[in-house]
Amino acid sequence: MKVTALIMGGGKGTRMKSKEEKTLILLNGKPIIYWVIDAIHAAKNVKEIIVATSYASPQTRKYLHQLDVKIIDTPGKGFHEDMKHAILTEQIKDHVLVVAGDLPLLTGELIDIIVDYYATLEIPSLAIMVPLEVFIKHDLTPSIIFTIDEKQVIPVGVNINDGSHIDKKEIDQEIMIVEDVRLACNVNTLNDLSIAKSLFQQLRKLK
């Protein structure tokens, strides 16, 4: 299965308390969003990359013109609203991998594992979540906490949707729980950024 990748790069990043747009904050000498795009380029199961920007990320949009991606403007109303806007505007009727633009530890290998799992399903949507204990172990900041089968898990801003279902009020969804810090490391705070930098170096040494 080949999917279209949609990177959400239009958020305000208010928790970072930085004047710079979150996706442009440097990690190992390059903007965070560069590493997300690099991971998706490395995936075998992605056929096209689209990045959603908004009024809140004009410098991100400017930076993206250097890269091999398609750019689309969204209203900047939030992750889910902008995702839906992008899919409807681009008239994507097949499968869309949606990725938050603040996941610098993501890899092509992880993306391919997720897409391969989705290909085995008979429902239109898959959401990726990471157990709370992974966040606690690495001192990362969780967002919303869900309890699924008595296990506390955190959505990480990675999902796959059938574009032809995106405008429906209710969509059947599967949850894939992945115990991997590379998916847990959404850079939302300065502490998250510090941890991401440390983990980035550690993971690079393991390659």
Side-chain angles (χ1 to χ4, degrees):
M1 176 184 284
K2 294 280 188 178
V3 300
T4 298
L6 174 63
I7 302 172
M8 305 306 295
K12 296 178 181 179
T14 52
R15 284 183 286 174
M16 284 298 295
K17 298 179 180 178
S18 171
K19 292 181 180 179
E20 191 166 22
E21 292 170 23
K22 180 171 67 169
T23 54
L24 295 183
I25 292 173
L26 297 183
L27 191 154
N28 203 44
K30 294 185 182 294
I32 287 173
I33 200 166
Y34 169 88
W35 298 112
V36 180
I37 294 169
D38 185 60
I40 294 175
H41 273 307
K44 298 175 182 178
N45 293 334
V46 174
K47 61 183 178 181
E48 181 184 20
I49 302 175
I50 301 171
V51 184
T53 59
S54 76
Y55 71 91
S57 57
Q59 294 306 312
T60 296
R61 182 180 176 83
K62 184 177 179 180
Y63 169 75
L64 291 169
H65 282 293
Q66 316 173 35
L67 306 179
D68 184 22
V69 297
K70 184 175 184 177
I71 308 165
I72 181 171
D73 279 321
T74 60
K77 293 182 178 180
F79 188 96
H80 293 286
E81 293 85 350
D82 288 357
M83 172 189 71
K84 182 177 177 180
H85 175 90
I87 292 171
L88 290 173
T89 300
E90 290 297 305
Q91 298 182 346
I92 303 171
K93 300 299 183 182
D94 57 359
H95 308 289
V96 186
L97 168 74
V98 182
V99 179
D102 58 2
L103 283 167
L105 305 186
L106 189 66
T107 66
E109 177 191 12
L110 280 170
I111 292 166
D112 285 335
I113 289 170
I114 291 166
V115 175
D116 285 342
Y117 178 72
Y118 177 77
T120 69
L121 304 177
E122 295 182 358
I123 57 177
S125 181
L126 173 68
I128 310 305
M129 300 195 184
V130 173
L132 177 60
E133 55 259 34
V134 174
F135 285 78
I136 293 171
K137 178 181 178 181
H138 294 279
D139 194 30
L140 292 164
T141 308
S143 53
I144 302 169
I145 301 174
F146 292 104
T147 300
I148 298 176
D149 295 330
E150 299 184 354
K151 190 177 188 70
Q152 291 185 299
V153 294
I154 318 298
V156 294
V158 178
N159 56 65
I160 304 180
N161 296 294
D162 183 333
S164 66
H165 289 249
I166 200 65
D167 210 19
K168 293 183 178 180
K169 290 183 178 180
E170 294 186 6
I171 302 174
D172 290 335
Q173 186 177 70
E174 172 87 2
I175 304 297
M176 182 181 184
I177 298 175
V178 185
E179 295 188 24
D180 196 313
V181 69
R182 293 174 295 178
L183 287 167
C185 201
N186 290 92
V187 179
N188 289 314
T189 67
L190 291 174
N191 182 61
D192 291 342
L193 177 62
S194 176
I195 294 165
K197 288 179 178 179
S198 176
L199 287 170
F200 187 95
Q201 296 300 330
Q202 292 174 36
L203 293 168
R204 289 279 158 148
K205 288 178 182 178
L206 293 175
K207 287 188 176 182

